[in-house]
Amino acid sequence: MTTRPPGPPSARLVPGTVGDLTPHVGDWLLPVAGDRLGMPTTVTDPFAELLYVGEFDGLSAWAAESPVATLRWPELAQRLDRATLSLAGRAQQLVAWRRTHRYCGACRAELGYEPPYPWPRCTACGLLVPMAPCPVVLVLIRRGDRVLLARHSYAHSDMWALVAGYVEYGETLEEAARREVWEEVGVEIGDLTYVDSQPWTLSGPGTLLVGFTAEWVAGEPTVDGVELTAAEWFDVADLPEAVPPEYSLARWMLDAARP
């Protein structure tokens, strides 16, 4: 049996290779099937093909493809607390990574998985293929008692959301935030204040949301009509109904801004 030191006392979820790396009956089990998940349950067959997720509440946690995974993310979010939802999100991302990374990008040989480690290694050249974090900045822009919200042209086009965008290689988080705000809505902002972060399963494996607040400095919001269809100022005490869901970092930031 392989063991590692437990995680920090305050951490319910410790990702990676910590804890007991051998499956046991009674360990946590996260059912996954594509973009659907099941409620966390327990391992009943330690010899099944399981993917190690990490340590959760002092026990090893595993993910597995399962037909009982029938819940969409919003449905699961209504039933789980934040820490357990993070566990489910990590399980889904690891299963998705395994499904979409089957061959080596260097020599094109098949990738192999060595339980309980979640990252594949090339069976020919030995290349390790870990999931690379993909940071996305969110910016809540304030102008007195108002906040700037935007509508996107793609999924959930009726939702008023925060200005957001992917961090480019060579950029700091702060540089990415300023660039995205200028590119998307043509507004200049002042100093950025870090708020919080959240792994975001719905945008694919490795996505990490990083939230900032900033004060408006200059410019009126304009959009290109391609990526964004609208951008408007809203009184923070009277936000529209169609805002990000309660389980999202964007919503936490908006709720925190309310008087």
Side-chain angles (χ1 to χ4, degrees):
M1 181 173 68
T2 303
T3 59
R4 299 286 177 89
S10 61
R12 292 188 63 192
L13 170 62
V14 184
T17 51
V18 299
D20 188 346
L21 304 185
T22 303
H24 294 282
V25 172
D27 282 350
W28 290 97
L29 179 64
L30 288 304
V32 179
D35 64 348
R36 304 299 173 102
L37 296 101
M39 291 290 289
T41 180
T42 57
V43 172
T44 58
D45 179 8
F47 302 103
E49 186 175 351
L50 303 175
L51 189 61
Y52 185 70
V53 178
E55 180 192 72
F56 188 71
D57 285 349
L59 292 175
S60 293
W62 307 82
E65 294 273 3
S66 171
V68 304
T70 59
L71 298 175
R72 296 173 58 250
W73 190 259
E75 297 170 318
L76 193 71
Q78 293 176 4
R79 306 187 187 192
L80 300 179
D81 61 73
R82 182 175 175 180
T84 312
L85 191 63
S86 294
L87 173 67
R90 176 168 166 79
Q92 185 180 35
Q93 292 187 68
L94 289 175
V95 171
W97 188 261
R98 183 166 186 166
R99 185 177 63 250
T100 57
H101 290 72
R102 298 176 55 195
Y103 300 98
C104 178
C107 72
R108 293 183 281 185
E110 188 170 357
L111 296 175
Y113 287 81
E114 299 179 3
Y117 298 99
W119 311 132
R121 187 181 294 276
C122 179
T123 55
C125 71
L127 178 70
L128 183 67
V129 188
M131 185 190 302
C134 185
V136 173
V137 290
L138 302 179
V139 190
L140 189 153
I141 306 166
R142 300 199 59 154
R143 186 177 184 179
D145 293 329
R146 295 184 293 168
V147 295
L148 182 60
L149 301 180
R151 273 181 165 169
H152 291 86
S153 59
Y154 43 89
H156 305 294
S157 59
D158 61 334
M159 181 184 297
W160 290 98
L162 301 184
V163 175
Y166 287 96
V167 178
E168 299 287 350
Y169 289 108
E171 280 187 320
T172 66
L173 296 173
E174 293 80 5
E175 288 169 345
R178 294 182 186 283
R179 175 184 55 75
E180 285 291 342
V181 168
W182 176 254
E183 288 180 354
E184 293 203 349
V185 294
V187 166
E188 293 183 46
I189 54 177
D191 292 339
L192 290 151
T193 301
Y194 170 76
V195 177
D196 204 346
S197 62
Q198 180 188 26
W200 191 241
T201 301
L202 299 183
S203 295
T207 302
L208 178 66
L209 304 182
V210 184
F212 294 94
T213 61
E215 290 291 330
W216 170 88
V217 172
E220 293 301 327
T222 58
V223 298
D224 60 9
V226 178
E227 184 173 355
L228 296 183
T229 60
E232 297 181 17
W233 294 103
F234 290 91
D235 190 305
V236 73
D238 187 25
L239 297 177
E241 291 187 9
V243 293
E246 294 179 353
Y247 54 82
S248 67
L249 174 57
R251 178 63 172 272
W252 304 339
M253 293 169 65
L254 285 171
D255 287 347
R258 297 177 192 263

